[in-house]
Amino acid sequence: MIAIEQIIKHIEENKSYVLEAGAGSGKTYTLIQTINYVLETRGESIKLNNQKIICITYTNVAKNEIIERLENNPLVIVSTIHEFLWDCIKRFNKQLIIELDVLNEALPTDKSYKSETGLKNRITQVTYDDRGYRDFEQGSLHHDDVITLSLQILKNYIFLTHILGQKYPYIFIDEYQDTASETVDAIVNYLLERNKTKLLVGFYGDSYQKIYDEGIGSLQSYIDSNKLELVTKDDNYRSSVSVVNLLNEIRDNITQTIPKSKVSIDGSVQFINCTNAPMNPKEKVTPYRARIATKKDSDYNSIVSNLETNGWDFSEIGIDKILIIANSKVAERAGFGNLYKTYSKRFFDPKAELLNRENQFASYFFGSKDKKTSKERETGIEHLVSFWEDKNYNGVIKYLKLQGVFSSLTKHSDKQEIESKLKELTILRTTGTVQDVFDFCQVNQLSLPSNKLQKFIEQLNKDITRIIDEKEKKTAIKNKEFYNSLMQTDYNEIIYAFKHIQEQTSYSTKHGTKGEEYRNVLVIIDDTSWPSQYNFEKFFNDTDDKEHRKLRTKNLFYVSCSRAKENLVVLALSQMGDSAMNKITEWFGSKNIKTQ
């Protein structure tokens, strides 16, 4: 019985279930099939009872895709997990204040608001904004607080779970492996258990594609306790025979096959093991890494060149991809390594501040993305230049008018002035520093800084020696150092970073490609890149005593390899030992092993 038939059987018998579906299996298609089946067979009843089907996704991109594929059906609410949970609990403000007070008291002192009277006697409203920050004194929640409070509310207030069970007879959760364990606990053990005859829950995902720490990963314990039925989907519509055979070696709970309806190709897999000079007995790790860096770069460049000679396309518009484990390494390869280092020194999460454009300077140059719709906000200097270079003059005029600098661009002289400035800006971007471009844009009023950026710059002018508070002084020093380093960076690195953000390079992190697929994939593994989180050699030879790292490495390796549609090459820049190579040879086949 195929997966959708099993799911329909469970729906008819009102049994909640887990769909475990490997990479490239068409999981989202099956999810859409399921919802359409419920709409066809129970849509009228759902409508008459003023109910809704809930479909929960992990990202706004996935949310918008599902809404489109369901043709905006009004009986289906598609939302992210935070949106859904907050919508469930936000009306119960009295209970929220009580539970927030409990949560606040349980937090460490440095993360909570402490007072003699407690929060419940000080706040009147609990609020949540997906762009906001935690401020318990004002009743404001962070993402993580919504998860925790939802569990507390659903656990402690039975009447609420009955209300939700009546409103939402079907809840389908996509990418279940990335769902927080507290959320699964709340939904299965409290919402579902108290509404067994009224509610059905379907989880869709793949335990082998859990690559974020916060996700639950596997639902096996719920399957073992008979709270959820297991459905497996063993199709692979994406990859070649060689890649599918490798994926089957890596995982042990599903053996995938290529459907007869799909024209299969043989494809190829290859593993390249780069030999490194051994580490001297008295040598420290950092000098050793620096010593072998030249050899590693040479090996990398040689392999990329050979692949391009054999028809692989790593150009800006190419259809092949290079997957690297760390954002810092991607930045180096993609041409903005110094810019990324500047952000790394200042911020705990440089990816969020720079590549996700949460920092005010990043959004000034790169624009931003709307969190709710995932649409690009074309408000960065690089957007303006793109409009100009593409001869999109309407885009240029719209950009400048939105800035509020040029209210009217009807005169020929105005247009000549803009043309002259943009020509000069285009040249300056390739020859100057970030400071040069930033100053030019300010002087010529091409793009005004946001209020947040203006305040940051104003703070830089404060006399640090006059700041009394040590924490404030330390922050001021860090901000000054960050600003100076950023402004001295070649602007070319901003250009390269923008291309990377717009997915106009062949490079990506392994994390950033989940759900994506490419013709050919080069996977780079290097145990010196992020040793605390990933160790590939110990994964291959099964000697890692850190279970979390072992699982994280296995899943990331599986996800990376499964992106390839035709050909896959794994390049080990850190040398794999004999015991690891024995397993690698078993998986890839001796004829597909090469030493560099």
Side-chain angles (χ1 to χ4, degrees), residues 157-304:
Y157 301 94
I158 297 176
F159 75 93
L160 173 56
T161 55
H162 289 162
I163 292 172
L164 295 174
Q166 183 61 42
K167 286 180 64 176
Y168 308 125
Y170 297 95
I171 298 176
F172 301 109
I173 300 171
D174 194 20
E175 303 291 0
Y176 79 75
Q177 70 277 358
D178 295 323
T179 306
S181 57
E182 297 104 312
T183 300
V184 176
D185 185 15
I187 291 174
V188 176
N189 289 332
Y190 300 106
L191 186 55
L192 178 60
E193 283 293 301
R194 294 169 183 167
N195 294 279
K196 283 186 175 180
T197 60
K198 295 185 292 185
L199 171 64
L200 181 141
V201 180
F203 292 92
Y204 292 70
D206 182 5
S207 58
Y208 271 67
Q209 294 192 63
K210 186 250 182 180
I211 57 176
Y212 304 107
D213 286 342
E214 59 267 25
I216 191 170
S218 173
L219 297 179
Q220 192 60 47
S221 62
Y222 294 96
I223 296 167
D224 292 341
S225 61
N226 297 318
K227 292 182 178 180
L228 299 172
E229 302 291 328
L230 175 64
V231 179
T232 57
K233 197 172 193 299
D234 56 11
D235 303 312
N236 190 311
Y237 291 92
R238 176 188 298 156
S239 300
S240 63
V241 173
S242 296
V243 173
V244 170
N245 288 340
L246 173 63
L247 298 179
N248 287 337
E249 293 287 354
I250 299 171
R251 72 181 303 155
D252 58 13
N253 64 344
I254 293 178
T255 300
Q256 287 190 309
T257 57
I258 298 174
K260 293 179 181 179
S261 60
K262 178 182 178 294
V263 177
S264 62
I265 60 172
D266 290 337
S268 67
V269 296
Q270 186 179 47
F271 191 97
I272 303 172
N273 189 26
C274 295
T275 56
N276 301 129
M279 188 173 179
N280 298 327
K282 294 183 179 181
E283 191 173 18
K284 293 184 177 180
V285 174
T286 300
Y288 171 69
R289 290 177 182 171
R291 182 163 64 86
I292 64 174
T294 302
K295 167 73 164 55
K296 287 163 66 175
D297 286 342
S298 174
D299 289 337
Y300 169 85
N301 292 330
S302 172
I303 295 304
V304 169

Side-chain angles (χ1 to χ4, degrees), residues 1-17 34 37-38 41-42 170 200 204 229-231:
M1 190 182 297
I2 63 174
I4 187 61
E5 291 175 347
Q6 295 179 62
I7 289 171
I8 289 173
K9 183 174 183 292
H10 290 320
I11 290 173
E12 294 302 322
E13 296 174 354
N14 197 46
K15 292 181 178 178
S16 295
Y17 58 88
T34 304
Y37 174 79
V38 174
T41 58
R42 293 159 171 78
Y170 297 95
L200 181 141
Y204 292 70
E229 302 291 328
L230 175 64
V231 179

